[in-house]
Amino acid sequence: MRRLGELEAEIMYRLWAWGRSATARDVMTDLNKKRPIAYSTVKTVADILYQKGLLTRQKEGRAWVYTPTCTRQEYTASLMRDALGENPDPAGALASFVQQISGAEAEALRSALRAVKRRSEA
């Protein structure tokens, strides 16, 4: 999975944070609180995200309502998986990653590994 462009990320981050579907106009209204952006620009980028499979859309009246196809966590995990898959030394990449994370992140990783182990043993 490719990394998101700047506006793609802003749209996806809002939809993930809101936890609900939204129209391009909803997103544009929120984006305009920080910087001016045209409706047509938001609509075009939402359509690109739909074509990439990151959003679904459903017609409601005259507007498309967009919904993420994955959670932010699933998207991040996919990026991580792709990075490991492209590396000729995934164990080395993981070791380097672990050396760079904070103590809290390391504990979160240990907790996630324990949870996966429990599920596989069940």
Side-chain angles (χ1 to χ4, degrees):
M1 183 168 291
R2 270 185 351 133
R3 290 185 61 88
L4 297 170
E6 183 181 337
L7 185 53
E8 290 175 330
E10 288 188 59
I11 290 170
M12 293 302 297
Y13 294 164
R14 277 167 175 74
L15 291 171
W16 285 324
W18 293 341
R20 63 172 173 81
S21 302
T23 64
R25 187 161 308 283
D26 295 332
V27 174
M28 180 208 64
T29 299
D30 196 58
L31 285 168
N32 274 317
K33 292 176 184 175
K34 295 193 179 206
R35 65 179 172 111
I37 191 160
Y39 168 79
S40 60
T41 302
V42 175
K43 176 78 172 82
T44 297
V45 174
D47 287 339
I48 290 168
L49 289 165
Y50 166 74
Q51 292 166 5
K52 290 181 177 181
L54 289 165
L55 295 176
T56 61
R57 67 183 183 188
Q58 182 176 349
K59 196 81 154 167
E60 285 188 14
R62 293 179 47 200
W64 289 108
V65 178
Y66 296 93
T67 306
T69 59
C70 63
T71 65
R72 187 170 182 174
Q73 294 78 6
E74 290 167 336
Y75 171 75
T76 302
S78 179
L79 290 176
M80 294 167 69
R81 182 71 225 146
D82 287 350
L84 283 175
E86 294 171 2
N87 192 301
D89 180 15
L94 284 169
S96 293
F97 173 74
V98 170
Q99 289 173 351
Q100 297 176 34
I101 63 178
S102 69
E105 291 166 332
E107 182 50 41
L109 177 57
R110 282 190 288 278
S111 177
L113 290 170
R114 285 191 299 269
V116 167
K117 184 177 180 183
R118 282 192 300 272
R119 280 195 303 254
S120 68
E121 291 172 349

